[in-house]
């Protein structure tokens, strides 16, 4: 992906996706495989986004949202799913912003901020995760504010 060989990156990503799908066919509730499948989907979306197709990237990312929401609903104390749901929302927001939908991007940033706050309350030792997610969400919020001409608001997010 970083070298611009998007076709090779997509092929490699698709091969990984096939492996995870086969593993899930044997055990649909294996949390570690579901997690790897989710990361694989986010990587696929980044490859597609880097190749200039933000609409397809958004579609890929939005398809992952129900999995994360279901896992969090099933186990609201699972810090891994909270963290990755926050990161997913940041990726969704970035795709939305690229497509010109600042309001949808702002909502995704708010969801990511909420996950960072929940993560910190749930597990104070996860400060690095929460701070990383929070910073990325604040940066996305600032970008949304700048796009809509709210320079003062953007500066508050970055302060």
């Amino acid at each position: 992906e970083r070298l611009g060989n998007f076709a090779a990156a997509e092929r490699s990503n698709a091969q990984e996706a096939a492996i995870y799908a086969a593993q899930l066919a044997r055990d649909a509730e294996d949390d570690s495989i579901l997690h790897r499948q989710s990361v694989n989907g986010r990587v696929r979306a980044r490859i597609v986004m880097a190749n200039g197709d933000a609409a397809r990237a958004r579609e890929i990312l939005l398809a992952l949202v129900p999995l994360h929401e279901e896992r969090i609903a099933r186990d609201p104390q699972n810090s891994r799913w909270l963290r990755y749901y926050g990161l997913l929302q940041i990726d969704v927001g970035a795709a939305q912003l690229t497509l010109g939908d600042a309001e949808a991007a702002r909502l995704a940033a708010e969801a990511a901020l909420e996950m960072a706050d929940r993560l910190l309350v749930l597990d104070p030792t996860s400060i690095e995760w929460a701070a990383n997610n929070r910073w990325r969400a604040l940066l996305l919020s600032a970008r949304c504010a700048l796009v809509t001409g709210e320079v003062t608001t953007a500066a508050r997010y970055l302060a």
Side-chain angles (χ1 to χ4, degrees), residues 49 53-59 92-102:
M49 181 79 108
D53 192 347
R56 184 166 161 236
R58 178 182 58 187
E59 180 181 304
V92 167
Q96 299 283 28
L97 194 57
T98 299
L99 293 167
D101 192 344

Side-chain angles (χ1 to χ4, degrees), residues 57-140:
R58 178 182 58 187
E59 180 181 304
I60 292 166
L61 293 165
L62 289 175
L64 295 171
V65 169
L67 167 67
H68 287 75
E69 289 176 346
E70 187 273 328
R71 287 320 232 190
I72 291 170
R74 181 182 292 187
D75 183 5
Q77 305 298 313
N78 188 316
S79 58
R80 178 200 272 180
W81 284 104
L82 289 173
R83 178 181 183 216
Y84 284 100
Y85 184 65
L87 291 173
L88 174 63
Q89 287 296 330
I90 292 164
D91 288 346
V92 167
Q96 299 283 28
L97 194 57
T98 299
L99 293 167
D101 192 344
E103 179 60 17
R106 186 188 64 74
L107 294 173
E110 284 181 9
L113 285 168
E114 179 188 341
M115 290 301 110
D117 291 345
R118 283 179 61 185
L119 183 60
L120 196 52
V121 169
L122 173 69
D123 181 7
T125 65
S126 69
I127 186 74
E128 186 176 330
W129 282 8
N132 182 33
N133 281 25
R134 187 164 187 71
W135 172 245
R136 289 178 183 200
L138 288 170
L139 185 57
L140 176 60

Side-chain angles (χ1 to χ4, degrees), residues 1-11 46-52:
E1 163 188 0
R2 291 174 194 214
L3 300 176
N5 191 347
F6 299 111
E10 281 198 84
R11 276 193 306 277
R46 287 184 183 151
I47 293 166
V48 168
M49 181 79 108
N51 201 26

